[in-house]
């Protein structure tokens, strides 16, 4: 099941993870470990002024897919990203400036 098509703010953004871990040894030498070969893309989506109907659609999608993977199409370029999951603290609800609406920040992570 694909992520629902809801209005996104321009501040929504992809977050690239390159799988690298950087640590310093006691002598100051930097060690880099690669945990995976290809970059993964996580998402911070910002939905502004969702109506009660849009909010119900989002919450229903979360309830049905909280532990499964799904696809998300980035509307700016039309690319579909597959194998995404809801991250920890996936839905953060905020009051909206628009009466009877809710702003929501959604965190999606690459599986």
């Amino acid at each position: 099941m694909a992520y629902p098509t809801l209005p996104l703010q321009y501040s929504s953004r992809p977050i690239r993870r390159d799988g690298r871990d950087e640590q310093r040894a006691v002598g100051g030498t930097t060690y880099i470990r690669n945990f995976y070969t290809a970059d993964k893309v996580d998402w911070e989506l910002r939905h502004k002024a969702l109506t009660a109907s849009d909010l119900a659609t989002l919450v229903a999608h979360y309830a049905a897919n909280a532990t499964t993977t799904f696809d998300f199409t980035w509307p700016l370029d039309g690319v579909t990203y597959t194998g995404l999951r809801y991250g920890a603290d996936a839905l953060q609800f905020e009051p909206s400036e628009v009466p009877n609406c809710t702003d929501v920040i959604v965190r999606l992570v690459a599986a």
Side-chain angles (χ1 to χ4, degrees):
M1 176 185 272
Y3 188 82
T5 303
L6 299 168
L8 290 172
Q9 280 185 278
Y10 289 111
S11 59
S12 297
R13 63 190 177 102
I15 302 166
R16 296 216 178 268
R17 289 188 289 140
D18 63 6
R20 295 166 40 113
D21 180 45
E22 176 184 315
Q23 296 180 342
R24 292 224 179 251
V26 174
T29 304
T30 303
Y31 291 96
I32 304 286
R33 296 185 296 171
N34 288 323
F35 287 99
Y36 41 88
T37 56
D39 288 1
K40 295 188 179 276
V41 180
D42 297 342
W43 295 90
E44 182 180 280
L45 305 179
R46 295 178 175 268
H47 298 290
K48 187 172 177 100
L50 292 183
T51 63
S53 175
D54 287 344
L55 186 60
T57 298
L58 178 59
V59 170
H61 186 269
Y62 175 77
N65 298 284
T67 59
T68 62
T69 61
F70 51 88
D71 299 342
F72 167 69
T73 301
W74 182 233
L76 293 181
D77 60 12
V79 174
T80 298
Y81 294 84
T82 59
L84 296 177
R85 297 177 188 250
Y86 284 101
D89 297 321
L91 303 179
Q92 299 172 31
F93 303 96
E94 299 179 346
S96 178
E97 295 175 354
V98 179
N100 301 317
C101 290
T102 304
D103 294 350
V104 183
I105 299 171
V106 180
R107 186 169 168 264
L108 304 180
V109 296

